[in-house]
Amino acid sequence: MKEWAQDIRAPLENKAGMNRATRKIALALLWWAAAPGCTGGLSPQAQSLLSEGDKVYRKGDYKGTIEKMNLFVDQAGSSRRAYEGYYLRGLARLQLGDKAGAKSDLIQAVDRGGSETIMSDALNKLGDLAWEENDMETAAGRYAAALHHVKPGEKPADYSYYQLGSTLQREGKWSEADQQFSKLGFYFPSGELAQKAAARINSRAWTVQAGAYADKSRAQEAAERLKKTGMPAHVEPAMDNKNVSFVVQVGRYQSHQEVLKALERIRQDVKDAFVTTAR
């Protein structure tokens, strides 16, 4: 499991699944908004804008969604359902790569309160944005807050647990991270994220993986080549889908900043080396 992709861009590793979940949330929200009699205090014009925003979002017209939600927010910004417009506009802006605009809208949606499902999703996305800004403290707070809006055994709690655990590891809070990974394994034992959490739980340091081999002797040869360049390489067995492999690990680092510096050096010899956790 490539921790470089997993850790440095952890919020993106399950992005396809999260996007599908978000789409379901958005469509469920807007189906409800468009249902007869479900105006929630909105004017007919505002109700129409929300429904139209749903349609263009379904079609992938994110610029059109933003235009509709701009009008919706102007008209219904003081209503109790304004959060829906901010949320949907935030999703559209995120799709277009406007992270600052998405962040502002998602914060507005969370601050105004509303559907627990939408609150959880919005907070997870705010956590992802904070992660990408390398603001681990804020990211951890967002993921933890997301868990307050969803039942422990219901999605997307699995994503929140995993991301919170990964964020805590980045902060060096290894024991606290284990608690989140344990909850993930308990509530979602057969899930993909639970398997990834199992590979990270009980870790207490960072290392760089510089190769994986089915044959132990080949792994040892690779480690010896690295040792000749002055790198503290060694071989560890690893289990993946019931298959045993032998991975070459280099060093053991207490902080994430240290391991990133080491990674730069190691990649001069091993281009596909990446960061992973170590027990």
Side-chain angles (χ1 to χ4, degrees):
M1 177 177 61
K2 287 198 173 184
E3 181 68 14
W4 176 254
Q6 173 189 333
D7 183 64
I8 306 303
R9 298 187 298 274
L12 306 182
E13 70 173 62
N14 197 39
K15 194 171 184 179
M18 282 297 290
N19 281 344
R20 288 193 296 271
T22 295
R23 189 170 181 81
K24 289 179 181 178
I25 292 168
L27 298 185
L29 156 70
L30 295 167
W31 174 87
W32 175 79
C38 294
T39 62
L42 295 178
S43 69
Q45 188 173 9
Q47 183 73 18
S48 177
L49 286 168
L50 197 57
S51 178
E52 290 169 8
D54 167 29
K55 292 177 183 177
V56 294
Y57 188 84
R58 288 172 189 252
K59 294 177 181 178
D61 180 1
Y62 304 119
K63 289 183 178 179
T65 302
I66 291 171
E67 291 173 1
K68 296 295 183 184
M69 291 305 97
N70 286 344
L71 294 172
F72 174 82
V73 169
D74 287 343
Q75 291 190 24
S78 60
S79 76
R80 64 182 176 84
R81 288 183 56 191
Y83 76 94
E84 298 174 36
Y86 284 111
Y87 171 73
L88 185 55
R89 189 171 69 180
L91 296 184
R93 284 177 165 168
L94 203 55
Q95 292 286 352
L96 293 174
D98 178 8
K99 295 180 181 180
K103 179 179 177 180
S104 176
D105 277 340
L106 293 171
I107 288 174
Q108 285 280 0
V110 169
D111 287 347
R112 290 165 184 268
S115 159
E116 296 283 52
T117 303
I118 289 175
M119 292 301 101
S120 177
D121 187 65
L123 284 161
N124 275 332
K125 283 184 169 46
L126 286 168
D128 293 351
L129 289 169
W131 178 289
E132 292 174 8
E133 294 171 354
N134 203 33
D135 184 353
M136 294 299 123
E137 183 178 358
T138 296
R142 297 298 192 189
Y143 295 131
L147 287 166
H148 291 300
H149 293 277
V150 63
K151 293 180 180 179
E154 293 182 1
K155 289 179 176 290
D158 57 338
Y159 185 82
S160 303
Y161 284 132
Y162 184 78
Q163 292 303 131
L164 179 54
S166 300
T167 304
L168 290 168
Q169 286 187 331
R170 284 280 295 272
E171 293 185 292
K173 300 176 180 178
W174 301 99
S175 296
E176 293 179 42
D178 288 347
Q179 293 175 18
Q180 302 306 317
F181 292 144
S182 293
K183 291 176 183 178
L184 172 56
F186 178 80
Y187 290 114
F188 302 90
S190 60
E192 179 185 357
L193 290 178
Q195 295 177 25
K196 292 180 177 180
R200 299 185 69 140
I201 197 168
N202 297 325
S203 295
R204 292 297 181 269
W206 300 96
T207 189
V208 175
Q209 184 168 318
Y213 302 85
D215 183 70
K216 185 177 182 179
S217 62
R218 288 190 61 199
Q220 290 173 331
E221 289 172 4
E224 288 301 319
R225 287 195 296 271
L226 289 171
K227 285 181 181 179
K228 290 178 181 178
T229 67
M231 297 182 190
H234 66 281
V235 176
E236 290 283 347
M239 179 74 73
D240 184 19
N241 294 326
K242 297 183 180 181
N243 296 316
V244 177
S245 62
F246 299 91
V247 299
V248 178
Q249 294 183 349
V250 182
R252 186 178 177 88
Y253 307 90
Q254 292 305 307
S255 77
H256 199 259
Q257 290 75 18
E258 286 181 288
V259 76
L260 289 182
K261 291 179 181 178
L263 178 66
E264 291 182 13
R265 185 176 68 254
I266 295 165
R267 278 191 166 174
Q268 294 175 11
D269 295 287
V270 184
K271 301 300 182 184
D272 60 350
F274 57 89
V275 172
T276 188
T277 53
R279 293 187 170 91

